[in-house]
Amino acid sequence: KAGVTQTPRYLIKTRGQQVTLSCSPISGHRSVSWYQQTPGQGLQFLFEYFSETQRNKGNFPGRFSGRQFSNSRSEMNVSTLELGDSALYLCASRIGPQYNEQFFGPGTRLTVL
Amino acid sequence: DAKTTQPNSMESNEEEPVHLPCNHSTISGTDYIHWYRQLPSQGPEYVIHGLTSNVNNRMASLAIAEDRKSSTLILHRATLRDAAVYYCSIGGGADGLTFGKGTHLIIQP
């Protein structure tokens, strides 16, 4: 069974631009979560989607948004990029929100110049 | 604020047991204890989770203190492939995970 895939793997943007990252969960997994990982803050939860609905959100500004499609694929968008948004963005899927085990993708490395 | 405290790094020899500690004094009655590990240039990988009782799986064992304010991840026979950063996290099953800096585990051949 294929794992979680994320595209693109690397991205370079400039301040003020916006970016869209994509995640394809493991087949049969309906819950997708997004995380931001930085050396200073560690791994922080952004939001989780289940059945196309956002069910939980971390403490991030409204510039960070996401959505989930009917096939469980998910996208996250960051608008008006800031230098501090440079990070590894990870997507994780699980069968459903009641399951503890999450499966992570390799991440998208975003660099904001 | 980090909810868990872990040593920055630990070193062990190959084929010996490894005990990775984690303190989580603010844990609530419904919080699960999760352990993940991360190899360089990869996403985190699930290791084990538990609520109150000790847990075993094919990768590791999780020993949970009686007051649940600390736990220990046990790798029974470390291999070079176990060298990674190990993260301990607490939270409900429906909550997102939050990791601190974790423990960098070094395995000596």
Side-chain angles (χ1 to χ4, degrees), chain A residues 6-25:
Chain A
Q6 293 187 244
T7 56
R9 291 293 311 278
Y10 301 92
L11 208 48
I12 299 175
K13 292 285 189 180
T14 57
R15 278 182 300 173
Q17 288 186 309
Q18 74 155 9
V19 67
T20 299
L21 312 181
S22 181
C23 171
S24 292

Side-chain angles (χ1 to χ4, degrees), chain B residues 46-89:
Chain B
Y46 168 84
V47 178
I48 201 166
H49 77 276
L51 186 60
T52 55
S53 304
N54 294 344
V55 184
N56 300 298
N57 67 20
R58 63 176 179 79
M59 289 182 69
S61 296
L62 176 60
I64 301 172
E66 200 169 326
D67 64 6
R68 302 211 319 126
K69 293 185 177 182
S70 66
S71 62
T72 302
L73 179 71
I74 302 165
L75 307 178
H76 295 285
R77 272 182 93 233
T79 70
L80 295 178
R81 289 176 295 179
D82 291 322
V85 180
Y86 286 77
Y87 296 100
C88 166
S89 174

Side-chain angles (χ1 to χ4, degrees), chain A residues 4 23-26 29-35 45 47-51 53 55 67-68 72-75 91-94 102:
Chain A
V4 177
C23 171
S24 292
I26 291 172
H29 288 197
R30 298 172 59 200
S31 172
V32 174
S33 296
W34 287 90
Y35 293 86
F45 172 70
F47 28 67
E48 180 177 20
Y49 286 87
F50 176 67
S51 293
T53 301
R55 61 180 310 278
R67 59 177 175 168
Q68 186 180 35
S72 296
R73 193 176 68 82
S74 176
E75 289 180 347
C91 166
S93 76
R94 49 182 168 174
Q102 298 192 42

Side-chain angles (χ1 to χ4, degrees), chain A residues 35 37 39 43 94 100 102, chain B residues 34 36 38 93-94 97 99 101:
Chain A
Y35 293 86
Q37 187 173 34
L43 187 100
R94 49 182 168 174
N100 277 285
Q102 298 192 42
Chain B
H34 310 262
Y36 282 75
Q38 189 170 21
L97 297 167
F99 296 161
K101 295 190 184 299

Side-chain angles (χ1 to χ4, degrees), chain B residues 9-21 73-84 86 103-109:
Chain B
S9 66
M10 292 185 64
E11 197 167 315
S12 181
N13 295 319
E14 202 174 7
E15 298 188 4
E16 289 186 355
V18 179
H19 291 235
L20 298 166
L73 179 71
I74 302 165
L75 307 178
H76 295 285
R77 272 182 93 233
T79 70
L80 295 178
R81 289 176 295 179
D82 291 322
Y86 286 77
T103 297
H104 185 197
L105 177 63
I106 300 164
I107 304 295
Q108 297 288 356

